């Protein structure tokens, strides 16, 4: 087959060769790989019904569709694969426990507490925090850093357990979605006075999908009406059979409120870990792990809570966490104590990063700062591309006309107090679906107060700046006020969603629909000097209203549309409207082609309320 020539630019055909492209690549990227002109690819894609510019990110299917058309097999490389390759170029791998198994040390289990709302997850995490048998160093105040470790005693041996203390399924699934496997054991909290509820089942499904063993904490056994046996009964339906019934799931009756059963619970966690998991790690290898939480601290700058999974993290290490990097300036535990090092399963706050990583990002320690920076830079570029690709709306040819005339877009800048909420908010907002006419785009996001540079950015376009649990700093407020930038503050996500949804609706063009008012049959046509032909008619249905829109129908066909009832008379008098069953004279302005037996249909355009 000859090379298709499009718009005078020829396109080299492939013969089924493969070409690899990162997710979110542009036609220019593809052109470079196959030695084509970007313009030729734009044209080719245009003929396939999609209009994109040469440098715009294109989604996977479109790339593959275009590839098939021009004889190339396009392999879109997933972000995970790409990251693996990126690390390989630096001779690094993530996730492998290195060294000889004999050298591996036992590490503590990492536990996530899940369950239905109000069943006592938070209370239980608080109660467990206080079961620590190891006396804390003086001066430390317990802080929420996203995870904590306690030491319990089992059969006379001190055993640490790590708890992720951002309860909720979102963080669990968000981390899993990013491929970060953090949790070794799920504690499923079920209130004994309430029973298995929708989120109980959801939590169970998440845990089972991740193949994580479950320990059931039957909570609130202090309450009247508590029925722990019923919980055991209910959960058998979901494949969780209590040990005492011959199954292999440990159920422990607890009261987070009265601190009953907590030792039994920690024992059950350890026994489950010992029975079904071989939790070991090499403490000697280069440290790696996962980010649990990230935030911007006023005094200390970006602070990330990380969970060390392998190796030993030390002060002074060069670290790259997601697209953030830096040198570990200090390591702090959940009591604010400075640590020299952190072993596997130890959650620590890392101070010294240049920016705030996201929950679920992985971290690695590398030999040099330079390497950390290069990896971070490459990841940043990739995240930007991928974001652009996912946010761009595909424009079909049918929409092309309209799109060229007017693509309306509401731009947002999202700032928040920590990376988790910023992400959650962005994710929720991107799910709002109003109408194809309007696109919502987040042009910038970040952790921290709203700065002058955010406002500067907002000035460029129609932008709403959202501050979630943060405020505008210093000159930013003044600038925003002076320039009329729309800055809104929120502390609850759904409120932000509601308002943005309303803003989007406000941007919609009104939709009009035609409402029929009446029809009239022409009985006789009169010629009236200066006015023209007037239709002597009988109103057949509804009402004929003066100044309403009209169309003329002859033998069932529309002869003229877009007419106006310019004059309306009953006998000799002007009328504003004439009802069904009455005769009247209708003048349609300069339109004179009216014949006996024509039908005049009148209507008006009414604004249709948007749902
Ligand atoms: P979460 O939504 O699962 O985090 O639930 P919370 O920990 O916030 O607890 C919900 C409510 O149940 C709070 O009012 C707690 O005080 C109460 N609660 C939690 N555990 C117990 C318990 O063991 N006994 C009783 N009586 N109340 C509890």
């Amino acid at each position: 087959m000859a090379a298709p020539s499009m718009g005078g630019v020829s396109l080299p055909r492939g013969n089924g060769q493969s070409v690899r492209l990162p997710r979110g690549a542009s036609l220019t990227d593809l052109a470079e790989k196959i030695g084509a002109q970007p313009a030729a690819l734009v044209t080719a894609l245009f003929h396939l019904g999609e209009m994109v510019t040469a440098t715009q990110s294109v989604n996977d299917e479109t790339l593959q569709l275009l590839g098939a058309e021009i004889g190339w097999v396009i392999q879109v490389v997933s972000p995970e694969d790409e990251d693996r390759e990126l690390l390989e170029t630096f001779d690094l791998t993530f996730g492998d426990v290195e060294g000889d198994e004999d050298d591996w040390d036992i590490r503590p289990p990492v536990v996530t507490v899940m369950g239905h709302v109000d069943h006592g997850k938070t209370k239980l995490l608080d109660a467990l925090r206080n079961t620590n048998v190891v006396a804390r160093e003086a001066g430390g105040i317990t802080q929420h850093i996203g995870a904590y470790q306690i030491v319990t005693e089992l059969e006379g041996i001190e055993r640490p357990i790590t708890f992720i203390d951002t309860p909720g399924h979102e963080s669990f699934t968000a981390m899993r979605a990013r491929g970060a496997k953090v949790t070794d054991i799920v504690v499923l909290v079920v209130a004994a006075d309430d029973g298995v509820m929708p989120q109980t089942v959801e939590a169970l499904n998440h845990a089972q999908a991740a193949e994580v063993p479950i320990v059931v904490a039957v909570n609130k056994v202090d309450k009247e009406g508590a029925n722990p046996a019923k919980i055991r009964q209910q959960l058998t339906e979901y494949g969780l059979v209590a040990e005492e019934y011959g199954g292999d799931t440990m159920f422990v009756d607890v009261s987070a409120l009265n601190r009953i059963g907590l030792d039994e619970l920690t024992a059950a966690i350890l026994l489950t870990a010992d029975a079904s998991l071989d939790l070991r790690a090499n403490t000697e290898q280069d440290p790696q792990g996962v980010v649990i939480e990230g935030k911007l601290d006023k005094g200390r700058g970006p602070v990330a809570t990380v969970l060390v999974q392998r190796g030993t993290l030390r002060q002074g290490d060069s670290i790259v966490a997601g697209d953030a990097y830096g040198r570990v300036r200090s390591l702090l535990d959940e009591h604010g104590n400075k640590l020299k090092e952190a072993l596997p399963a130890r959650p620590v706050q890392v101070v010294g990063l240049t920016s705030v990583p996201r929950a679920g990002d992985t971290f690695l320690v590398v030999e040099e700062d330079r390497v950390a920076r290069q990896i971070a830079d490459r990841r940043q570029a990739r995240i930007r591309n991928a974001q652009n690709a996912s946010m761009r709306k595909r424009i079909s040819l049918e929409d092309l006309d309209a799109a060229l005339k007017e693509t309306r877009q509401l731009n947002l800048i999202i700032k928040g107090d920590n990376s988790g909420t910023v992400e959650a908010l962005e994710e929720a907002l991107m799910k709002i679906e109003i109408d194809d006419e309007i696109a919502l785009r987040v042009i910038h996001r970040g952790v921290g107060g709203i700065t002058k540079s955010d406002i500067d950015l907002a000035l460029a376009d129609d932008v709403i700046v959202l501050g979630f649990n943060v405020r505008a700093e210093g000159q930013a407020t003044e600038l925003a006020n002076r320039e009329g930038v729309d800055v809104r503050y929120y502390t609850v996500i759904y409120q932000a969603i509601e308002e943005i949804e309303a803003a989007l609706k406000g941007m919609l063009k009104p939709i009009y629909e035609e409402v029929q008012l009446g029809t009239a049959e022409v009985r006789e046509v009169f010629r009236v000097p200066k006015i023209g032909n007037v239709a002597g008619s009988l109103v057949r249905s509804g009402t004929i209203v003066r100044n309403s829109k009209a169309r003329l129908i002859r033998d069932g066909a529309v002869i003229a549309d877009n007419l106006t009832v310019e004059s309306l008379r009953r006998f000799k008098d002007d009328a504003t409207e004439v009802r069904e069953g009455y005769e009247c004279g209708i003048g349609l302005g300069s339109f004179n082609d009216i014949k006996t037996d024509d039908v005049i249909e009148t209507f008006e355009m009414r604004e249709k309320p948007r749902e």
Side-chain angles (χ1 to χ4, degrees):
M1 199 179 165
S5 172
M6 283 158 172
V9 197
S10 75
L11 199 54
R13 278 195 69 84
N15 315 307
Q17 301 109 295
S18 302
V19 51
R20 286 163 64 81
L21 281 174
R23 184 159 293 160
S26 68
L27 295 186
T28 304
D29 300 330
L30 174 60
E32 209 170 281
K33 293 245 163 128
I34 63 170
Q37 296 279 346
L41 294 180
V42 172
T43 316
L45 192 54
F46 184 83
H47 286 286
L48 291 172
E50 292 223 19
M51 195 192 69
V52 298
T53 63
T55 53
Q56 190 172 322
S57 292
V58 183
N59 65 30
D60 298 5
E61 305 95 81
T62 309
L63 281 173
Q64 274 151 356
L65 181 76
L66 176 62
E69 182 69 13
I70 59 174
W72 291 85
V73 176
I74 298 193
Q75 294 178 339
V76 179
V77 189
S78 73
E80 295 77 32
D81 286 344
E82 217 185 329
D83 203 61
R84 196 168 305 126
E85 286 166 23
L86 167 64
L87 293 177
E88 272 167 19
T89 61
F90 293 95
D91 245 348
L92 295 165
T93 50
F94 181 85
D96 294 334
V97 183
E98 296 167 7
D100 200 355
E101 267 189 56
D102 299 338
D103 300 335
W104 296 359
D105 299 297
I106 291 177
R107 66 160 178 86
V110 178
V111 178
T112 296
V113 174
M114 303 212 275
H116 196 71
V117 66
D118 272 350
H119 279 196
K121 297 180 291 293
T122 314
K123 196 97 188 154
L124 185 63
L125 280 162
D126 283 345
L128 286 165
R129 198 197 288 271
N130 293 311
T131 58
N132 208 351
V133 298
V134 174
R136 268 171 238 137
E137 280 173 43
I141 317 158
T142 310
Q143 299 164 356
H144 168 90
I145 67 165
Y148 64 81
Q149 197 172 68
I150 59 164
V151 179
T152 60
E153 239 177 53
L154 184 69
E155 289 151 9
I157 300 168
E158 285 192 352
R159 304 266 311 255
I161 304 175
T162 301
F163 288 94
I164 307 291
D165 79 346
T166 47
H169 311 167
E170 293 81 5
S171 65
F172 183 81
T173 35
M175 290 209 195
R176 224 163 72 75
R178 292 229 183 105
K181 190 172 183 307
V182 174
T183 305
D184 299 312
I185 292 182
V186 162
V187 167
L188 182 63
V189 179
V190 190
D193 63 334
D194 198 19
V196 173
M197 299 298 279
Q199 285 167 283
T200 316
V201 177
E202 188 187 290
L204 212 143
N205 290 337
H206 286 317
Q208 285 173 341
E211 294 180 2
V212 175
I214 297 171
V215 170
V216 181
V218 181
N219 191 30
K220 306 198 189 186
V221 293
D222 59 284
K223 275 186 113 169
E224 215 173 297
N227 188 350
K230 192 178 116 203
I231 308 298
R232 285 167 174 74
Q233 172 63 38
Q234 285 183 327
L235 283 172
T236 54
E237 285 172 38
Y238 300 91
L240 287 186
V241 182
E243 280 191 328
E244 55 265 44
Y245 296 166
D248 52 11
T249 303
M250 298 191 73
F251 279 66
V252 184
D253 293 344
V254 300
S255 164
L257 186 72
N258 297 342
R259 297 170 191 257
I260 298 169
L262 299 179
D263 290 343
E264 287 80 357
L265 180 59
T266 52
I269 291 167
L270 291 169
L271 291 171
T272 301
D274 293 348
S276 50
L277 306 164
D278 181 25
L279 300 175
R280 294 198 292 160
N282 183 350
T283 54
E284 302 291 322
Q285 73 177 88
D286 286 336
Q288 299 186 341
V290 174
V291 176
I292 305 288
E293 212 177 82
K295 66 169 193 216
L296 192 69
D297 187 279
K298 265 216 151 59
R300 298 178 296 171
V303 177
T305 299
V306 305
L307 182 78
V308 179
Q309 294 182 304
R310 294 165 285 281
T312 305
L313 184 63
R314 297 195 171 86
Q315 205 180 329
D317 282 345
S318 295
I319 184 173
V320 53
D323 62 346
Y325 70 98
R327 181 77 72 87
V328 178
R329 200 159 64 225
S330 53
L331 289 172
L332 301 163
D333 71 6
E334 61 271 29
H335 313 297
N337 296 324
K338 277 206 174 173
L339 304 178
K340 283 214 176 56
E341 53 176 43
L343 289 164
R346 167 101 304 275
V348 269
Q349 278 196 321
V350 171
V351 182
L353 291 168
T354 48
S355 60
V356 181
R358 304 182 301 170
D361 280 343
T362 54
F363 83 82
L364 302 98
V365 166
V366 296
E367 227 152 273
E368 292 177 68
D369 293 356
R370 187 181 51 86
V371 174
R373 201 188 62 232
Q374 283 173 356
I375 296 173
D377 284 351
R378 301 261 284 271
R379 283 176 172 168
Q380 253 168 35
R382 198 181 57 224
I383 292 168
R384 254 195 319 271
N385 282 344
Q387 264 163 355
N388 287 343
S390 72
M391 278 179 308
R392 228 155 244 146
K393 183 163 108 85
R394 291 168 62 162
I395 301 171
S396 70
L397 264 189
E398 290 89 65
D399 303 336
L400 187 60
D401 252 11
L404 288 178
K405 274 191 220 118
E406 198 174 17
T407 30
R408 279 180 308 167
Q409 182 168 295
L410 181 63
N411 296 314
L412 301 176
I413 293 177
I414 304 178
K415 296 299 288 282
D417 56 341
N418 70 56
S419 51
T421 46
V422 170
E423 254 170 64
L425 183 58
E426 175 168 356
E427 219 165 86
L429 290 172
M430 294 317 286
K431 280 194 197 134
I432 299 179
E433 271 186 32
I434 290 291
D435 201 289
D436 280 349
E437 293 166 39
I438 294 175
L440 187 66
R441 181 182 286 180
V442 177
I443 58 168
H444 177 62
R445 67 194 64 67
V447 174
I450 294 161
T451 61
K452 190 170 161 294
S453 90
D454 294 329
I455 304 296
D456 282 335
L457 188 61
L459 283 173
D461 263 309
D462 242 355
V463 177
I464 298 181
V465 183
L466 308 185
F468 194 79
N469 283 332
V470 292
R471 289 282 176 275
E473 294 171 351
Q475 295 169 303
T477 310
E478 198 186 307
L479 182 65
N481 288 342
R482 193 169 63 232
E483 301 289 345
V485 174
D486 192 351
V487 182
R488 302 177 188 205
Y489 301 108
Y490 301 98
T491 50
V492 229
I493 285 191
Y494 77 81
Q495 204 171 1
I497 295 168
E498 265 178 19
E499 281 200 35
I500 296 304
E501 202 167 334
L504 284 169
K505 282 194 178 143
M507 283 171 74
L508 291 172
K509 279 176 289 187
I511 310 173
Y512 289 99
E513 64 181 349
E514 184 182 311
V515 179
Q516 204 185 74
L517 297 174
T519 56
E521 197 180 290
V522 180
R523 292 287 178 84
E524 214 179 336
V525 180
F526 304 98
R527 172 125 203 103
V528 182
K530 282 189 202 138
I531 293 182
N533 284 351
V534 166
S537 320
L538 174 69
V539 181
R540 278 288 181 202
S541 68
T543 323
I544 302 298
V545 181
R546 186 147 50 134
N547 292 327
S548 63
K549 294 261 161 234
R551 60 172 67 92
L552 189 84
I553 295 159
R554 184 171 302 153
D555 298 328
V558 177
I559 299 297
D561 211 342
N562 220 351
L563 305 171
T564 306
V565 178
E566 291 200 359
S567 69
L568 184 66
R569 294 198 145 199
R570 251 200 65 73
F571 301 109
K572 298 242 154 356
D573 305 322
D574 280 333
T576 47
E577 54 174 69
V578 179
R579 275 184 295 136
E580 183 181 329
Y582 290 91
E583 291 192 319
C584 59
I586 299 172
L588 295 174
S590 58
F591 183 82
N592 286 314
D593 177 17
I594 305 173
K595 298 208 163 100
T596 311
D597 292 335
D598 286 351
V599 173
I600 295 171
E601 196 179 285
T602 66
F603 56 92
E604 67 179 10
M605 299 305 290
R606 268 191 213 149
E607 189 176 334
K608 194 176 155 187
R610 298 254 186 189
E611 175 279 322

